[in-house]
Amino acid sequence: MQMLLNWGIGLSNVFLTPTNLLLLLVGTLLGMIVGALPGLNSPIAMSIMIPLTYGMDPGAALCILAGIYTGSTCGGSVSSILLEVPGTGAAVVTAFDGHQMYKEGKGGLALGISAVSSVVGGIIAAIVLGACAPFVAAQALKFGAPEYLMLSVMGFASVIGMSNGRMSKNIMAMLIGLLISVIGISPQGGIKRFTFGTHALLEGIPLVPMLIGMFGIGAIISTISDMKLGKTASEVVKQTVQRVKMQYPDKEMIKSFLPIWAQSSVIGNVVGAIPGAGMTVAIFMAYDQVKRYRTDLEFGTGVPEGVAAPECANNAVVGSSMIPLLALGVPGNPASSLFLGALLIHGLRTGPKFFVESADVAYTLIAAFFTASIALLPVMHIFVNYMATYVLRLRYEVLNGLILILCVTGAFATGNNDSYIVFAIVFGVIGFVLKKFHIPFGPLVLATVLGSMLESYYIQSMVTLRGNFSGMLQRPICVGLLLLSVFFLLMPLKRFLKKKKGGV
């Protein structure tokens, strides 16, 4: 009963507050525009927007960020279908069949299937978020320092287990993140570590400027160094892309999609709730499962089911990725870590007590994801029918200049400190280098957040257990988290043996 009451409070904060509803719709449209532009994504838009929300009410700030996250995930399918150039990594698989449908004159239908599938996945994920996050948070209230220590270990193990063929680069990214996390004053002895005599580093690297630099400025440097890609995309639009009108699947097609949406939603929600897994894992798993389910179809030739499965899965990840953040304080992916930064700016901290101390804000965010998922259909209809072709023709030189100004201004506004601009620029260069070597940002950001947790809770655990590490085995939750960690660590071995067996 209390949960339904909280849902009502959250929905009323979105629907009955015109400012919040307007910001959510604007954020959804902005996210869709960003998602449709190759090279840009939701973390870039969110990292720019976070400092601008400083003077807003927390509910309003979360509404626009939820809209951007939801809209950009769906918007990536537009350029994926029309150009065969995925707007975001979450739309890579959509191009396999979506662009073939466009070539056959069914581009409007492909976009309609993408929109409807995104709505289904997003709504289910928002409901799962509203049901699971408070429950997980309630269980997490039973956690002590040893349990949080094992939770941190499980977070690192999940990144390795869900590496999807990039285990060495994921481990490298985590090591860099751990190095960043130890900068500042030691929580135990008060020792200055890697501060280089600079007072600005005494409190460590501030999260928001770091994210602004990596995702915003890093993307600008990467785009400038590879401007040929932007010009090529623009030329393709001018030469080949004709304006398309949204067409929606009929009743028979929707009926055939129901089991596909069901299994893709389950995959998206499970993968999204695992820290470090990400959308790429979810979309490939969903696409692989639908291929097994519909063996009568030749995927990659313009099959509608090949669009429905990944688009449902990637939007299911959106809501479920917030479960570990809201309930445990552990970001599931880079986008959710930006929500952590936004909440910190407003003096809020996620974790088990979040649903007790800030229930109105928590359920406003959940309701925002639910509402944004519903809004995807009309917003994408307007975007595709009247704006998509013009947006894809935007010159990247103008976009880069605008994004750079917003990044620098936003980094400074985070703490009204000149050093924050330096942090953003430095991490912009770091982000560019990492991108060139195809080292993922997600594990790095996760390790940066978990690194400080790991150190603090290790010290507290040793005090609690009086230096006896075997005392962990006498705590059921610790044992459960340890077994999950072992399971994740064995997953790469399982994939290797399966691949070796298949090769034989």
Side-chain angles (χ1 to χ4, degrees):
M1 191 66 186
Q2 183 62 39
M3 182 179 292
L4 292 177
L5 180 62
N6 289 330
W7 263 97
I9 293 173
L11 289 171
S12 64
N13 286 340
V14 175
F15 281 102
L16 300 183
T17 307
T19 303
N20 290 357
L21 184 59
L22 178 61
L23 286 173
L24 186 140
L25 294 174
V26 170
T28 305
L29 179 59
L30 178 61
M32 198 160 291
I33 293 172
V34 169
L37 290 168
L40 302 182
N41 51 39
S42 55
I44 295 174
M46 291 168 63
S47 63
I48 295 170
M49 189 58 64
I50 284 176
L52 303 181
T53 65
Y54 182 77
M56 294 183 182
D57 176 78
L62 294 176
C63 279
I64 192 169
L65 293 176
I68 290 173
Y69 189 12
T70 306
S72 62
T73 305
C74 179
S77 64
V78 176
S79 55
S80 186
I81 292 170
L82 298 182
L83 300 176
E84 203 177 11
V85 180
T88 62
V92 171
V93 175
T94 306
F96 297 166
D97 289 281
H99 189 65
Q100 293 299 320
M101 290 182 68
Y102 171 75
K103 287 182 176 180
E104 296 171 3
K106 300 178 181 177
L109 178 60
L111 290 167
I113 293 171
S114 170
V116 175
S117 301
S118 298
V119 170
V120 172
I123 289 175
I124 292 174
I127 294 172
V128 170
L129 171 62
C132 293
F135 173 77
V136 174
Q139 303 308 309
L141 287 172
K142 304 174 185 177
F143 283 20
E147 284 77 15
Y148 274 108
L149 173 63
M150 290 311 304
L151 178 65
S152 302
V153 172
M154 192 203 75
F156 286 107
S158 68
V159 173
I160 296 173
M162 305 299 286
S163 58
N164 198 26
R166 301 182 302 171
M167 186 169 64
S168 60
K169 292 184 177 180
N170 280 15
I171 292 175
M172 186 181 300
M174 286 193 297
L175 291 175
I176 296 172
L178 284 173
L179 179 61
I180 294 171
S181 70
V182 300
I183 295 174
I185 298 178
S186 167
Q188 183 180 23
I191 301 172
K192 298 177 182 179
R193 302 180 300 195
F194 303 107
T195 59
F196 306 103
T198 305
H199 292 291
L201 292 173
L202 290 177
E203 296 182 2
I205 302 294
L207 181 63
V208 176
M210 183 187 88
L211 296 176
I212 289 175
M214 287 182 61
F215 293 109
I217 297 177
I220 294 171
I221 300 173
S222 180
T223 304
I224 292 173
S225 70
D226 195 20
M227 188 62 75
K228 184 178 178 181
L229 173 64
K231 291 180 179 178
T232 301
S234 179
E235 291 170 2
V236 170
V237 174
K238 292 178 182 178
Q239 294 173 7
T240 63
V241 173
Q242 304 297 323
R243 181 180 294 181
V244 295
K245 295 289 184 181
M246 286 272 285
Q247 300 175 25
Y248 298 99
D250 55 27
K251 292 182 180 180
E252 289 299 321
M253 188 175 286
I254 289 176
K255 186 176 179 180
S256 68
F257 286 161
L258 290 178
I260 295 172
W261 285 338
Q263 68 180 15
S264 298
S265 296
V266 171
I267 291 171
N269 279 285
V270 172
V271 172
I274 300 173
M279 290 184 184
T280 305
V281 174
I283 58 176
F284 277 99
M285 287 180 65
Y287 193 70
D288 182 62
Q289 288 301 314
V290 75
K291 286 170 67 177
R292 295 182 182 183
Y293 172 70
R294 294 298 303 271
T295 54
D296 57 315
L297 300 175
E298 187 178 352
F299 286 85
T301 60
V303 177
E305 287 79 0
V307 176
E311 285 302 309
C312 183
N314 62 22
N315 280 269
V317 172
V318 171
S320 59
S321 66
M322 302 300 292
I323 294 175
L325 174 68
L326 299 184
L328 304 172
V330 178
N333 57 23
S336 61
S337 67
L338 287 159
F339 278 93
L340 175 62
L343 290 166
L344 288 174
I345 283 179
H346 290 277
L348 300 171
R349 185 172 292 276
T350 58
K353 295 182 180 180
F354 187 55
F355 284 90
V356 177
E357 298 173 349
S358 307
D360 57 333
V361 177
Y363 279 93
T364 298
L365 178 57
I366 294 170
F369 277 113
F370 181 81
T371 309
S373 297
I374 297 174
L376 279 177
L377 203 59
V379 171
M380 188 165 180
H381 183 93
I382 294 171
F383 178 70
V384 169
N385 286 1
Y386 304 104
M387 300 174 62
T389 305
Y390 300 105
V391 168
L392 291 173
R393 286 176 176 164
L394 289 174
R395 293 191 63 82
Y396 282 72
E397 296 90 337
V398 177
L399 287 173
N400 287 337
L402 180 61
I403 292 171
L404 181 61
I405 292 171
L406 291 173
C407 285
V408 173
T409 305
F412 176 79
T414 302
N416 290 327
N417 193 327
D418 294 341
S419 61
Y420 281 22
I421 298 177
V422 177
F423 289 142
I425 294 172
V426 169
F427 278 95
V429 175
I430 292 173
F432 167 70
V433 174
L434 294 177
K435 192 171 183 179
K436 282 297 179 184
F437 287 96
H438 304 288
I439 297 175
F441 292 171
L444 187 152
V445 175
L446 183 66
T448 303
V449 176
L450 288 181
S452 56
M453 287 179 56
L454 187 70
E455 182 179 14
S456 298
Y457 287 123
Y458 173 76
I459 296 170
Q460 294 177 34
S461 297
M462 290 300 96
V463 172
T464 302
L465 300 174
R466 297 182 179 180
N468 182 15
F469 201 82
S470 62
M472 294 274 191
L473 302 178
Q474 300 175 10
R475 304 171 78 102
I477 297 177
C478 287
V479 173
L481 292 172
L482 178 62
L483 292 175
L484 278 175
S485 301
V486 173
F487 170 76
F488 284 125
L489 291 174
L490 291 176
M491 285 181 69
L493 178 61
K494 179 184 176 182
R495 287 196 296 267
F496 173 76
L497 294 175
K498 185 178 179 180
K499 184 178 180 181
K500 187 176 181 181
K501 183 178 178 181
V504 174

